């Protein structure tokens, strides 16, 4: 089934059937003011944090009714019929009610048509602002005049903290009230409080601090209001049939000891063909702030200045100019849509929001996970390496002087004297008392990619503090990261698994060993060796060589199982992922990482990837391992708690599919890399959306494997490491755009059927117009480049040889 389609030209996804298999969402705003909105205007808004800065209410896990949201009701006062500007919440029959939702880059436009009344609502957060706009245009396309009431409505939280608002009602209901201020409703929490009261309270989530929110309207007179949700909705009713709308108007009831909301009624008459515009404004701020914001839009509307329209254009311009840094045109539109717009945009959203706020994450983890964040950075480097660098420096400053990463980097991280997992204080504050084995090893590919994209080789000498004490160069940070794993090894000479490696559920422990981390370490050593060699540090080159040789031998001796690499060794000496095991005998990640790291090449690389294809692949992606755990389990394999075929228990965990695509491109299998890309490409499931369920324009965290009742159904939208690994695999692997220190390699690995494609890339201030000629029909291999008319053998273009604007022909064969 299909519910919408991609509008490539406008960089939008257009939903024309609103009864989507799940709420299909978009992100508005910035890290200062964020908002999530579904195709039915559902969702929530927050200041800085989805958990502790929550201003509107949303119940996670409410997919079946997908409420509440940012609602606009329209009532025809001639007969009392009413509907909503989004299909939800009133849900008029779809043969009478037409709707279209356009999710774009940081904006969503929802249109409706019902009984000759058309609405068009643009939802967005203007650039650098801390409030949101719902710009409504309402038009009478019929032949007779209409008398209507329009109601804008939002449900506030009663407390800035999501948990207090949701479960501590004996407290939170009695600290909130609303006032009507002419053109807006002002909600005040802790009106009697003060900073001093907060101190007395012992800092329990800033209880006592006054907090203000507003919901107002510009361009219209408010006829009536309700500030109390339960009055607006009424008892034993719901958002679909609010009492106030049904009765024909609000009752001017403020909230006092209840559930605050903003509901504003505007009465209008629309002559045939007439259109009216009004702008609802929602944000956090006191009455003065609210008045100022609303006045700005009022003034603009009365001067016939389209302020909201201009702000929307500014947003589009910002986002589209980021995306412009790489645009491609291949024979596959669905591939292009992801690389050009949606996977790229998702990478930015994941980069910005980490795992903090979605329809699955409420934001309670008030910080950045080390491994997730360092990987997320990789997804945007080719589009905005400056932004990437800022976050990369932050993450280096969250490395501990022993080389390990801080499990959780607080949003207000200040390096220098942070407690480490070795100290009880850290564990008390974050609940994280152990090191992960892999955290700091993610720095290697990320630092390398950043340097090669930007050409900023000096970065390697930049001095950055450690989280706990001292400071040193990026180079030394990296060396120390390697040392961290060398200092924590098991009996075979592989890195210890510690609390976990990439797999949250695998507890190999301090004497157990992780082969994923062993391959990561090998990869780190080879990247570090390259850095050392460029710096002319001979002894470090030897040091890296020595450890790579030693690791390589141990891998051959202990981790090669004849047909596959094993996943690890438990403290008790049990081999995870051995071919003789009854459960979980073949694992995906050690095979792909053997290839990515360079530890396995030639025949062995081909062999392990073939095993994966034959034994783990499904039509919706490769499973993380197989067969699922049922008997073997705690405490080592905590994934046994997940139903078989789900998430880390033999599910199709989507992030590793990016590594699989990349590994196939390394060995030159373009057809297979593309096949794997398609299996997981959300856009490729656009016509079978009822199977995948998630938005057909974003990657999810995991898809259900063959053991479940819903093979192919995907879960956990938007905020996932899948975004960056698939992006890297597509750009670096399939498209073959591989910047190097002093130039760029263009070495595609594509399906043989792609005879021709083109790309436009901005590379360190130079424009590359690349055309790829694959009339030879190969999967990989470049005979020569022709750059501005000059022929060069191979696939490497030196930076010095590039002009500001370059026409590059890549001839494969
Ligand atoms: C999700 C976590 O955010 C990520 O850090 C982890 O690597 C994967 N789960 C796999 O367990």
């Amino acid at each position: 089934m299909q519910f919408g389609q991609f509008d490539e030209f406008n960089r939008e996804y257009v939903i024309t059937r609103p009864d989507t298999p799940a709420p299909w969402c978009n992100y508005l705003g910035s890290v200062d003011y964020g908002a999530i909105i579904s195709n039915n205007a559902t969702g929530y808004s927050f200041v800085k944090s989805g958990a502790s800065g929550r201003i509107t209410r949303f119940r996670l896990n409410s997919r079946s009714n997908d409420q509440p949201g940012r609602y606009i009701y329209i009532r025809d006062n001639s007969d009392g019929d009413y509907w909503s500007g989004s299909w939800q919440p009133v849900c008029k029959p779809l043969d009478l009610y037409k709707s279209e939702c356009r999710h774009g880059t940081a904006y969503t436009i929802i249109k409706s048509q019902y009984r000759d009344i058309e609405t068009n609502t643009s939802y967005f957060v203007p650039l650098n602002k801390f409030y949101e706009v719902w710009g409504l245009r309402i038009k009478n396309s019929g032949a007779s005049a209409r008398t209507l009431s329009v109601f804008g409505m939002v449900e506030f939280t009663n407390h800035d903290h999501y948990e207090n608002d949701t479960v501590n009602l004996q407290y939170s209901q009695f600290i909130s009230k609303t006032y009507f201020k002419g053109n807006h409703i002002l909600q005040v929490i802790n009106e009697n409080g003060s900073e001093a009261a907060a101190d007395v309270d012992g800092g329990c989530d800033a209880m006592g601090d006054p907090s203000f929110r507003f919901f107002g309207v510009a361009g219209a007179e408010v006829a009536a209001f309700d500030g109390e949700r339960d009055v607006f909705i009424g008892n034993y009713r719901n958002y679909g049939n609010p009492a106030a709308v049904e009765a024909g108007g609000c009752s001017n009831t403020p909230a006092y000891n209840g559930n605050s909301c903003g509901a504003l009624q505007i009465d209008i008459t629309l002559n045939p063909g007439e259109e009216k515009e009004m702008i609802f404004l929602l944000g956090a701020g006191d009455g003065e702030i609210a008045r100022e914001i609303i006045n700005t839009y009022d003034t603009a509307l009365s001067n016939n200045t389209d302020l909201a329209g201009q702000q929307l254009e500014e947003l589009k311009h910002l986002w589209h100019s980021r995306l412009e840094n790489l645009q491609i045109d291949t024979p596959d539109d669905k591939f292009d849509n992801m690389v050009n717009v949606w996977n790229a945009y998702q990478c930015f959203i994941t980069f910005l929001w980490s795992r903090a706020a979605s329809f699955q994450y409420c934001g309670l983890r008030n910080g950045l996970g080390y491994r997730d964040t360092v990987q997320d950075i990789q997804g945007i480097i080719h589009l905005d390496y400056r932004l990437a660098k800022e976050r990369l420096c932050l993450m280096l400053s969250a490395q501990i002087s022993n080389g390990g990463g801080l499990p959780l980097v607080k949003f207000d991280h200040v390096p220098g004297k942070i407690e480490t997992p070795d100290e009880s204080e850290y564990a008390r504050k974050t609940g994280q008392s152990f090191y992960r084995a892999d955290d700091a090893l993610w720095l290697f590919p990320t630092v390398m990619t950043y340097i090669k994209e930007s050409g900023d080789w000096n970065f390697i000498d930049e001095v950055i503090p450690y989280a706990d004490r001292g400071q040193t160069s990026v180079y030394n940070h990296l060396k120390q990261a390697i040392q961290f794993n060398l200092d924590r090894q098991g009996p075979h000479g592989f890195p210890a698994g510690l609390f976990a490696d990439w797999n949250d559920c695998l507890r190999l422990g301090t004497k157990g060993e992780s082969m994923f981390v062993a391959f990561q370490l090998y990869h780190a050593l080879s990247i570090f060796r390259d850095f050392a060699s460029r710096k002319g540090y001979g002894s470090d080159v030897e040091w890296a060589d020595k450890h790579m040789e030693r690791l390589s031998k141990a891998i051959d001796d202990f981790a090669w199982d004849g047909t596959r690499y094993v996943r690890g060794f438990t403290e008790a000496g049990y081999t995870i992922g051995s071919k003789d095991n009854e459960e979980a005998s073949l694992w995906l990640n050690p095979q792909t990482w053997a290839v990515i790291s360079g530890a396995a090449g030639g025949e062995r690389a081909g062999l392990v990837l073939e095993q994966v294809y034959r034994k783990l692949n499904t039509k919706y992606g490769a499973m993380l391992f197989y067969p699922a755990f049922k008997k073997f389990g705690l405490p080592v394999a905590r994934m046994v708690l997940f139903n078989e075929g789900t998430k880390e228990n033999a599910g199709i965990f989507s992030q590793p599919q990016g590594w699989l695509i990349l590994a196939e491109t390394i060995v030159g299998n373009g057809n297979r890399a593309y096949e794997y890309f398609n299996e997981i490409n959300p856009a490729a499931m656009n016509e079978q959306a009822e199977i995948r369920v998630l938005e057909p324009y974003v990657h999810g965290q995991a898809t259900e494997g063959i053991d479940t009742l819903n093979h192919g159904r995907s879960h956990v939208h938007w905020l996932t490491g899948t975004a960056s690994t698939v992006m890297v695999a597509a750009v670096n692997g399939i498209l073959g755009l591989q910047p190097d220190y002093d130039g760029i390699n263009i070495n595609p690995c594509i399906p043989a059927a792609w005879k021709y494609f083109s790309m436009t890339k901005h590379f360190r201030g130079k424009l590359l117009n690349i055309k790829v000629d694959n009339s030879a029909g190969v999967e990989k291999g470049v005979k020569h480049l022709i750059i501005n008319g000059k022929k060069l053998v191979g696939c490497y273009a030196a930076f010095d040889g590039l002009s500001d604007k370059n026409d590059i022909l890549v001839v494969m064969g």
Side-chain angles (χ1 to χ4, degrees):
M1 261 188 266
Q2 182 174 347
F3 297 80
Q5 65 278 333
F6 292 88
D7 176 345
E8 246 177 286
F9 180 77
N10 288 305
R11 294 177 169 138
E12 292 171 338
Y13 186 82
V14 189
I15 299 161
T16 40
R17 258 191 77 168
D19 55 340
T20 47
W24 286 357
C25 293
N26 195 12
Y27 280 74
L28 315 177
S30 69
V31 289
D32 292 316
Y33 183 100
I36 303 176
I37 183 165
S38 81
N39 52 310
N40 279 309
T42 312
Y44 60 92
S45 305
F46 48 94
V47 176
K48 292 191 195 302
S49 161
S52 55
R54 181 70 74 83
I55 66 173
T56 69
R57 223 174 243 165
F58 181 75
R59 292 160 198 89
L60 292 183
N61 210 6
S62 62
R63 175 148 111 196
S64 47
N65 64 359
D66 185 23
Q67 296 174 354
R70 302 168 179 85
Y71 293 142
I72 292 173
Y73 299 89
I74 300 109
R75 181 181 193 274
D76 189 326
N77 291 328
S78 67
D79 59 6
D81 189 16
Y82 61 90
W83 61 100
S84 39
S86 45
W87 180 58
Q88 280 271 23
V90 179
C91 297
K92 283 291 184 189
L94 287 173
D95 53 339
L96 302 174
Y97 179 97
K98 296 285 159 253
S99 104
E100 180 184 274
C101 166
R102 290 184 165 262
H103 282 318
T105 45
Y107 65 88
T108 288
I109 297 171
I110 301 180
K111 298 180 191 174
S112 75
Q113 267 183 40
Y114 179 72
R115 289 184 53 196
D116 291 337
I117 297 296
E118 296 172 15
T119 66
N120 177 322
T121 315
S122 309
Y123 295 94
F124 65 94
V125 177
L127 265 187
N128 305 320
K129 303 289 186 207
F130 309 104
Y131 59 86
E132 65 193 68
V133 169
W134 315 354
L136 170 71
R137 279 187 278 126
I138 179 164
K139 184 176 175 183
N140 177 0
S141 52
S144 51
R146 304 286 286 274
T147 312
L148 307 171
S149 291
V150 175
F151 302 79
M153 195 270 177
V154 67
E155 179 175 343
F156 291 121
T157 55
N158 276 343
H159 195 286
D160 288 347
H161 201 280
Y162 154 84
E163 267 186 334
N164 259 314
D165 178 60
T166 312
V167 297
N168 195 12
L169 271 62
Q170 62 80 24
Y171 172 78
S172 58
Q173 288 214 315
F174 308 107
I175 57 172
S176 164
K177 49 175 97 141
T178 60
Y179 293 98
F180 177 61
K181 301 279 184 182
N183 57 7
H184 66 279
I185 286 187
L186 184 71
Q187 184 204 19
V188 192
I189 298 171
N190 293 331
E191 190 177 38
N192 308 331
S194 68
E195 298 286 337
D199 291 344
V200 172
D201 240 302
C204 180
D205 299 320
M207 278 186 198
D209 282 339
S211 171
F212 304 88
R213 292 83 171 269
F214 63 88
F215 180 65
V217 65
E221 291 288 318
V222 176
F225 74 94
D226 278 319
E228 168 58 57
R229 181 201 66 181
D230 300 338
V231 170
F232 180 78
I233 301 276
N235 279 347
Y236 307 106
R237 288 172 169 270
N238 57 54
Y239 290 94
N241 60 358
V245 178
E246 212 162 274
C250 293
S251 57
N252 297 330
T253 311
Y256 194 101
N257 297 342
N259 288 292
S260 298
C261 78
L264 299 174
Q265 176 190 337
I266 294 108
D267 295 335
I268 56 171
T269 302
L270 285 178
N271 291 318
E274 190 183 357
E275 182 176 85
K276 284 208 158 91
E277 183 174 4
M278 62 192 82
I279 297 175
F280 292 99
L281 295 145
L282 166 68
D286 60 22
E288 205 176 316
I289 293 173
R291 252 193 319 277
E292 201 181 306
I293 292 169
I294 298 164
N295 284 347
T296 310
Y297 290 87
D298 259 332
T299 312
L301 284 170
S302 51
N303 292 340
N304 282 326
T305 307
D306 186 10
L307 174 62
Q310 286 164 9
Q311 290 177 326
L312 190 54
E313 283 310 310
E314 259 173 36
L315 265 184
K316 285 188 196 170
H317 178 74
L318 170 89
W319 277 101
H320 292 185
S321 60
R322 279 180 176 153
L323 303 181
E324 280 302 326
N325 285 322
L326 176 66
Q327 288 295 297
I328 63 167
D329 186 4
T330 75
D332 180 356
D333 285 350
K334 292 180 170 169
F335 182 87
D336 297 354
N337 272 323
M338 295 313 287
V339 173
N340 289 340
V341 185
W342 286 99
N343 193 178
Y345 180 58
Q346 185 182 1
C347 282
F348 277 109
I349 295 301
T350 306
F351 171 90
L352 292 171
W353 289 111
S354 188
R355 307 297 177 271
S358 71
F359 274 21
Q360 278 84 38
Y361 292 107
C362 75
L364 271 185
R365 188 172 78 168
N366 246 333
L368 304 166
Y370 203 93
R371 91 162 67 92
D372 290 344
T373 306
V374 178
Q375 292 176 84
D376 294 344
I377 297 170
Q378 283 183 43
I380 66 152
I381 291 178
H382 67 294
L383 297 174
D384 192 341
Y385 62 76
R386 291 182 184 86
L387 189 62
K389 182 183 178 183
E390 272 174 43
R391 184 60 67 80
L392 184 52
C393 290
L394 174 81
M395 297 314 287
L396 282 157
S397 83
Q399 189 190 12
I400 299 158
S401 55
N402 66 10
L406 271 184
L408 188 77
V409 186
K410 303 280 284 298
F411 286 134
D412 54 2
H413 174 76
V414 181
K417 38 185 186 310
I418 302 266
E419 296 97 6
T420 70
D422 299 319
E423 293 156 78
S424 54
E425 190 57 6
Y426 182 83
R428 192 185 66 76
K429 283 189 193 152
T430 65
Q432 315 264 337
S433 58
F434 306 100
Y435 288 102
R436 271 84 173 149
D438 63 322
D439 277 343
L441 291 177
W442 294 106
L443 289 169
F444 290 83
T446 307
V447 169
M448 181 185 71
T449 308
Y450 164 72
I451 291 177
K452 289 184 172 177
E453 182 73 45
S454 64
D456 180 13
W457 171 244
N458 291 337
F459 181 60
I460 204 79
D461 293 324
E462 270 182 40
V463 173
I464 293 180
Y466 280 120
D468 52 340
R469 60 191 153 87
Q471 55 177 24
T472 191
S473 63
V474 170
Y475 182 87
N476 285 331
H477 271 269
L478 295 176
K479 190 168 181 193
Q480 196 58 15
I482 292 173
Q483 196 59 50
F484 177 85
N485 292 94
L486 294 179
D487 289 344
R488 291 162 180 77
Q489 302 226 335
H492 303 100
F494 297 129
L498 306 184
F499 183 68
D501 61 13
W502 170 87
N503 194 317
D504 292 326
C505 305
L506 206 51
R507 300 273 187 278
L508 295 165
T510 44
K511 295 204 188 77
E513 296 160 296
S514 159
M515 284 316 297
F516 190 165
V517 182
F519 288 122
Q520 277 191 283
L521 181 60
Y522 188 89
H523 190 44
L525 281 160
S526 90
I527 292 171
F528 180 75
R529 187 197 183 285
D530 208 19
F531 289 154
S533 153
R534 280 181 67 81
K535 296 280 306 167
Y537 294 165
S539 60
D540 279 354
V541 172
E542 280 172 33
W543 177 79
D545 279 341
K546 186 185 79 190
H547 284 295
M548 284 172 77
E549 275 163 35
R550 186 190 56 74
L551 253 185
S552 186
K553 180 160 182 341
I555 291 168
D556 274 353
D557 291 349
F558 307 116
W560 178 245
D561 200 17
T563 53
R564 69 203 62 188
Y565 291 102
V566 304
R567 181 60 174 84
F569 306 90
T570 70
E571 293 202 331
Y574 178 85
T575 305
I576 304 258
S578 157
K579 65 177 182 312
D580 302 322
N581 293 355
E582 193 187 331
E583 300 180 336
S585 54
L586 176 66
W587 289 63
L588 174 61
N589 290 336
Q591 321 313 325
T592 54
W593 270 83
V595 177
I596 292 169
S597 67
E603 253 181 58
R604 207 174 265 190
L607 181 63
V608 295
L609 292 178
E610 192 54 32
Q611 291 285 319
V612 166
Y613 188 67
R614 281 203 265 123
K615 300 192 173 141
L616 295 181
N617 196 33
T618 76
K619 59 180 170 172
Y620 304 119
M623 295 176 289
L624 198 54
F625 59 77
Y626 205 74
F629 283 119
K630 288 184 198 168
K631 299 183 209 149
F632 185 90
L634 300 170
V636 174
R638 297 181 63 78
M639 60 281 274
V640 74
L641 298 175
F642 291 131
N643 297 328
E644 301 93 86
T646 308
K647 280 176 67 102
E648 282 96 337
N649 193 12
I652 301 164
F653 217 92
S654 309
Q655 188 184 8
Q657 186 94 357
W659 298 321
L660 179 55
I661 299 165
L662 188 64
E664 289 288 3
T665 65
I666 290 171
V667 301
N669 290 335
N671 286 338
R672 196 160 283 174
Y674 180 61
E675 183 179 344
Y676 283 136
F677 184 93
N678 276 336
E679 286 169 1
I680 196 183
N681 184 358
M685 291 294 285
N686 195 41
E687 286 87 52
Q688 291 166 286
E690 78 287 3
I691 296 176
R692 187 172 181 270
V693 175
L694 283 201
E695 294 93 337
Y697 46 91
V698 293
H699 286 288
Q701 183 200 61
T703 298
E704 294 185 36
I706 55 174
D707 290 344
T708 80
L709 302 178
N710 295 290
H711 181 36
R713 182 169 62 171
S714 298
H715 297 271
V716 188
H717 65 171
W718 282 97
L719 306 182
T720 159
T722 315
S724 69
T725 61
V726 177
M727 191 57 159
V728 168
V731 174
N732 181 288
I734 296 177
L735 300 170
L737 293 168
Q738 297 158 10
D740 208 339
Y741 299 106
D742 303 313
I744 182 167
N745 288 293
I746 309 172
N747 192 11
C749 184
I750 53 174
W754 284 10
K755 298 289 185 263
Y756 177 85
F757 71 98
S758 62
M759 309 184 264
T760 312
K761 176 175 169 61
H762 290 264
F763 180 50
R764 303 180 199 166
K766 297 190 188 293
L767 180 65
L768 314 184
N769 284 321
I770 303 167
K771 297 192 187 326
V772 180
D773 171 0
N774 185 31
S775 35
V778 298
E779 292 176 59
K780 193 169 184 177
V782 170
K783 283 203 289 203
H784 58 260
L785 305 179
I786 300 177
I787 305 182
N788 301 326
K790 202 170 142 207
K791 188 167 171 181
L792 292 173
V793 176
C795 65
Y796 180 68
F799 189 74
D800 285 347
L802 295 174
S803 310
D804 287 347
K805 199 166 164 256
N806 303 275
D807 289 322
I808 303 180
L809 180 67
V810 179
V811 181
M812 294 180 71

